[in-house]
Amino acid sequence: MADDHLLHPGGGMSRRRMLAASAAAGGAAWLLRGVVRPDSASAQSPAPPGFPAGPDLFQRVYENWAGEIRTDQLWTCAPRTPQDVLDVVNWAYGAGWTARAQGQRHGWAPLTVAAATPAATQVILLDTTAHLTALSFAAQPADGTALVRAQAGASLEALLAFAGGGGYGVTSAPAPGDLSVGGALAIGAHGTAAPAVGETPAAGHGYGSLSNLVTELTAVVWDAAAGAYVLRTVGRDDPDCAALLTHLGRAFVTEAVLRVGADSNLRCVSYLDIPATELFAAPGGPAAARTLADFVDATGRAEAIWFAFTDKPWLKTWRVTPNRPLPSRAVSGPYNYPFSDNIPEPVAQLAGDLIAGAWGSAPLFGQVQYLLAKVALTGDITDVLLSGTLIRDVLTGDVLTHLLAGGLRSDLWGASRNLLEYIRPTTLRETANGYAVLTSRADLQWVVNRFATYYSDLLDTYAARGEFPVNGQVEIRVTGLEDPAVSGVPGARPPLLSALRPRADRPDFDTAVWIDILSLPTTPGLHGFYRDIEQFLLTELEGPRAAVRVEWSKGWAYTDTAAWADPDVLGTVIPAALRAGGGPGWDEAVATLDRLDPHHVFGNPFLDGLLS
């Protein structure tokens, strides 16, 4: 693509340089879109007839995290109270419209609206993040736990800060703090944590998704006797709650009560010197090897970030550590990796080159990202000084000086929330596929090795053809599965549609390996590469030693040209994965959600097809 201009020809900065300049100023979202994210409302058409008078009403473009889903100007409102939500939903029912809850739009899958939804579509978006953000303690029992009542629009950052202010926390959480509570619960959001060897979780702590912490929630449901939608609070022991805990957007939850435990200080240590061939080695290797399974056994909390075309991942581990170790740097707030949130201008220019069509620069970009992290975390500039001129042209002396001025960050210590949250909205906005591979703890390393070997070989195969579909990174996390007892509610059941719901027929499956591959969304050949990965997971890993489920918020069901499009994966593979093992699951969840919303006010064409 030519280096076109945002302004009139000859009248301003080139798009590539504007991308770079914007990223250097903290607006890295430009790198994935080339346009400003449409947060402001525009001039609007006459309001839909009979719309309730309470909520603010406007028209706004909906755009998701990576810009792959972008609509025309859609009618959007900002309810101030749960009653406002109810009024809008009943208006939508009477008018023949659909109503979609909207949070922070930090997702990939078309669970809210589809790309290119036209302005004439009879859909109303309800932005919960403007006013439905209240947080309070519902109870603080004597067992050291607390029940936090959170409205759907509250951010996870605000929720964890509120809980932390009272001395409470969670075992793990998603890295971005800008997720809404309602959105996180809808898709079963997770962090990275499994029990370390010998670790017993304290009351209120568990190793599954955030949805599994819920003790009760309030949702908008159909009441046949009233002939209208009503607000209904359901406890965790209510059979309907199991479907609402992870509902994919097929319901509208206005608030939830979550059980949290006593907070713990964590120590987060970064490693950048372990070869991928060692970290992801086949099980049964040398006793001294540093494998991912070894780190999970030792700390319980680990994440590997493996930049494309590099040979050493960035491994982070978190360990419960009450007192600050002498080498650790104490932190008092979240987001402690500024080098990944505010991209140096030369690095942003290289990303701009990729977007402008220089996709063959992917290997260079991967090496630059790795070295950027290494310098910022450890202060070691040796590899940069020994590298070729292409890398030194990007990681200039000024860039290195700036990185080193921020202080070393390879060993951090502080309250859990300050180490669990580390991704700001200003980071590179990449697309991502996502899968949870359920397996036994003994087979964790086998899963990781099989995937890493196939991924590396596939990347080389594409590169040999002159194709570079991945310019981001692989991310691998490990969690436990849902344990309803964590909620503290007798009779609680796991979320039916959670990727972490245990299989009744496989009690040995106690671990999930989460696999994501990130890349710029317009990268040529990306969908075909993602399809190859997906088919490998479904045909080579699925079986006696593992079971594969999709990560709802990410990309899946790939054809060679599109995500969320393979009819076999959508219609057969995904339902079968949540039916496997017998017992309640997919069919009960679909039936419950249909009963609670028989008119599909909370539907959209994609969801209605998926949950059919």
Side-chain angles (χ1 to χ4, degrees):
M1 181 169 60
D3 190 14
D4 54 328
H5 287 71
L6 285 171
L7 303 179
H8 294 294
M13 186 181 296
S14 74
R15 184 171 95 168
R16 187 171 63 196
R17 291 196 58 79
M18 183 169 284
L19 291 173
S22 177
W30 283 70
L31 286 170
L32 303 186
R33 301 187 178 106
V35 293
V36 176
R37 189 174 186 185
D39 284 324
S40 59
S42 69
Q44 61 188 47
S45 307
F51 191 83
D56 295 332
L57 179 67
F58 45 91
Q59 288 176 292
R60 183 169 65 187
V61 169
Y62 178 96
E63 185 173 314
N64 73 339
W65 172 255
E68 293 170 291
I69 295 176
R70 180 182 170 85
T71 70
D72 288 349
Q73 298 272 348
L74 301 179
W75 284 107
T76 306
C77 68
R80 297 178 180 276
T81 66
Q83 184 61 49
D84 278 351
V85 172
L86 193 60
D87 291 343
V88 172
V89 169
N90 277 310
W91 168 83
Y93 163 62
W97 285 44
T98 57
R100 311 298 299 136
Q102 178 192 294
Q104 296 283 0
R105 294 165 286 172
H106 191 140
W108 292 262
L111 303 180
T112 303
V113 290
T117 299
T121 304
Q122 292 184 318
V123 58
I124 178 72
L125 302 180
L126 290 85
D127 184 351
T128 61
T129 65
H131 304 294
L132 297 178
T133 58
L135 297 162
S136 63
F137 284 114
Q140 293 172 280
D143 63 358
T145 66
L147 302 181
V148 179
R149 187 179 305 278
Q151 287 189 310
S155 69
L156 290 192
E157 179 179 354
L159 171 65
L160 295 181
F162 177 81
Y168 304 100
V170 297
T171 304
S172 66
D178 68 330
L179 306 182
S180 68
V181 170
L185 298 180
I187 51 86
H190 65 92
T192 182
V197 172
E199 180 181 3
T200 301
H205 286 274
Y207 305 104
S209 73
L210 291 180
S211 298
N212 195 52
L213 302 179
V214 170
T215 63
E216 70 173 42
L217 49 78
T218 300
V220 181
V221 303
W222 175 253
D223 186 317
Y229 286 84
V230 299
L231 289 167
R232 176 182 160 202
T233 298
V234 294
R236 187 66 184 270
D237 55 351
D238 188 308
D240 289 348
C241 192
L244 291 168
L245 289 168
T246 301
H247 58 75
L248 313 187
R250 243 324 252 122
F252 199 123
V253 171
T254 61
E255 72 172 32
V257 177
L258 296 89
R259 188 185 191 216
V260 294
D263 199 16
S264 298
N265 291 325
L266 297 177
R267 182 186 189 185
C268 181
V269 178
S270 291
Y271 303 83
L272 294 103
D273 62 340
I274 306 174
T277 52
E278 181 179 0
L279 187 65
F280 305 138
R290 297 167 293 177
T291 68
L292 186 63
D294 291 332
F295 284 102
V296 174
D297 284 347
T299 70
R301 300 148 181 83
E303 173 190 67
I305 297 177
W306 187 12
F307 297 108
F309 302 101
T310 64
D311 58 4
K312 293 185 178 72
W314 172 15
L315 173 71
K316 294 198 291 291
T317 65
W318 295 259
R319 187 192 298 266
V320 175
T321 309
N323 300 309
R324 182 179 75 85
L326 187 60
S328 299
R329 173 177 178 171
V331 296
S332 57
Y335 311 117
N336 290 293
Y337 303 114
F339 62 90
S340 67
D341 295 327
N342 297 285
I343 304 166
E345 182 175 353
V347 180
Q349 283 185 309
L350 181 56
D353 288 340
L354 284 165
I355 294 170
W359 300 109
S361 299
L364 174 62
F365 191 56
Q367 294 165 38
V368 165
Q369 289 183 93
Y370 167 78
L371 291 173
L372 182 72
K374 185 174 183 178
V375 171
L377 292 166
T378 69
D380 184 355
I381 64 172
T382 304
D383 288 345
V384 176
L385 297 178
L386 295 176
S387 62
T389 56
L390 288 177
I391 288 177
R392 294 200 305 274
D393 283 346
V394 178
L395 297 179
T396 63
D398 287 344
V399 170
L400 297 179
T401 299
H402 176 73
L403 293 174
L404 295 173
L408 306 186
R409 297 172 183 273
S410 63
D411 189 343
L412 305 176
W413 175 89
S416 66
R417 65 188 180 278
N418 294 332
L419 295 173
L420 296 177
E421 294 179 306
Y422 53 88
I423 294 180
R424 290 186 186 272
T426 51
T427 194
L428 271 173
R429 297 202 173 192
E430 299 164 300
T431 192
N433 65 351
Y435 306 89
V437 182
L438 275 58
T439 190
S440 67
R441 184 68 172 262
D443 275 337
L444 186 164
Q445 191 66 25
W446 175 82
V447 169
V448 169
N449 171 256
R450 289 296 307 276
F451 163 75
T453 301
Y454 180 79
Y455 164 79
S456 181
D457 290 346
L458 187 65
L459 203 63
D460 289 344
T461 298
Y462 272 72
R465 302 198 302 252
E467 300 176 43
F468 300 91
V470 178
N471 41 55
Q473 65 275 359
V474 167
E475 297 181 353
I476 299 176
R477 301 176 179 87
V478 179
T479 68
L481 304 188
E482 310 287 34
D483 177 6
V486 172
S487 70
V489 178
R493 301 166 64 200
L496 293 178
L497 294 180
S498 170
L500 295 177
R501 178 168 57 82
R503 279 183 49 164
D505 65 329
R506 296 302 304 263
D508 56 320
F509 284 4
D510 57 0
T511 301
V513 179
W514 295 87
I515 296 170
D516 306 319
I517 304 173
L518 285 72
S519 196
L520 296 174
T522 57
T523 306
L526 179 59
H527 290 116
F529 187 91
Y530 279 163
R531 178 172 173 78
D532 289 341
I533 291 289
E534 182 172 81
Q535 291 302 310
F536 166 78
L537 295 175
L538 295 176
T539 59
E540 299 298 323
L541 288 190
E542 178 75 34
R545 301 177 72 172
V548 179
R549 293 171 177 169
V550 302
E551 183 173 5
W552 293 119
S553 65
K554 302 283 178 62
W556 26 268
Y558 286 95
T559 67
D560 287 335
T561 57
W564 315 292
D566 183 321
D568 181 60
V569 174
L570 293 172
T572 302
V573 173
I574 291 175
L578 286 163
R579 289 184 179 122
W586 178 268
D587 297 303
E588 180 185 344
V590 171
T592 300
L593 294 171
D594 282 346
R595 175 169 48 80
L596 298 177
D597 177 27
H599 307 289
H600 283 240
V601 172
F602 305 129
N604 70 28
F606 176 76
L607 276 180
D608 291 346
L610 177 66
L611 299 174
S612 59

